């Protein structure tokens, strides 16, 4: 099993986003809550930032938070849908009826 890079993630409830710092700024994933579900709606990265492996590790860390909080994850973005397709171990986090 691959190791997940432990990232320092801040849950900025006011801005409704998970945030982590990178050299060039902040990477964030915006969310909204509805009935024990978290909808991941947008990924924000600093201009010119394209470290896909880091973003994947950031999403894995968010999935671990969802597991801890017993939340179902609803991927809104195509990039997050792709993440679920590549990381099938997180499919249990999808609400019933959502197929990718």
């Amino acid at each position: 099993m691959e190791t997940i890079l432990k990232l320092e993630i801040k849950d900025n409830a006011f801005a409704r986003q998970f945030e982590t710092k990178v050299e060039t700024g902040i990477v964030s994933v915006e969310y909204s809550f509805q009935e024990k579900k978290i909808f991941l709606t947008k990924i924000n990265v600093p201009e010119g930032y394209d470290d896909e492996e880091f973003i994947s590790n950031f999403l894995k860390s968010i999935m671990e938070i969802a597991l801890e909080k017993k939340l179902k994850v609803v991927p809104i973005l195509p990039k997050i849908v792709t993440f679920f397709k590549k990381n099938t171990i997180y499919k249990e986090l999808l609400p019933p009826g959502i197929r990718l």
Side-chain angles (χ1 to χ4, degrees), residues 1-97:
M1 185 161 166
E2 69 179 292
T3 55
I4 296 174
L5 181 66
K6 259 301 185 201
L7 300 176
E8 193 172 309
I9 294 179
K10 177 183 175 195
D11 182 355
N12 183 337
F14 180 74
R16 292 196 316 267
Q17 64 187 19
F18 295 107
E19 305 170 342
T20 192
K21 289 183 178 143
V22 293
E23 283 179 25
T24 54
I26 291 178
V27 174
S28 66
V29 174
E30 295 178 17
Y31 64 77
S32 63
F33 279 114
Q34 187 180 345
E35 301 170 1
K36 296 293 278 174
K37 291 187 197 99
I38 186 168
F39 292 75
L40 301 178
T41 57
K42 188 174 182 188
I43 297 174
N44 301 302
V45 296
E47 185 142 348
Y49 188 82
D50 64 351
D51 186 340
E52 293 299 322
E53 187 177 338
F54 181 87
I55 292 169
S56 179
N57 281 323
F58 185 37
L59 289 171
K60 287 175 185 176
S61 297
I62 291 170
M63 297 307 138
E64 296 301 321
I65 292 168
L67 278 168
E68 285 171 26
K69 295 185 176 188
K70 297 182 177 19
L71 296 170
K72 292 293 183 186
V73 177
V74 182
I76 303 295
L77 281 177
K79 189 174 217 164
I80 296 176
V81 170
T82 301
F83 169 83
F84 270 99
K85 287 179 179 176
K86 286 181 182 172
N87 298 276
T88 55
I89 60 168
Y90 296 113
K91 286 217 173 158
E92 69 191 64
L93 289 171
L94 296 169

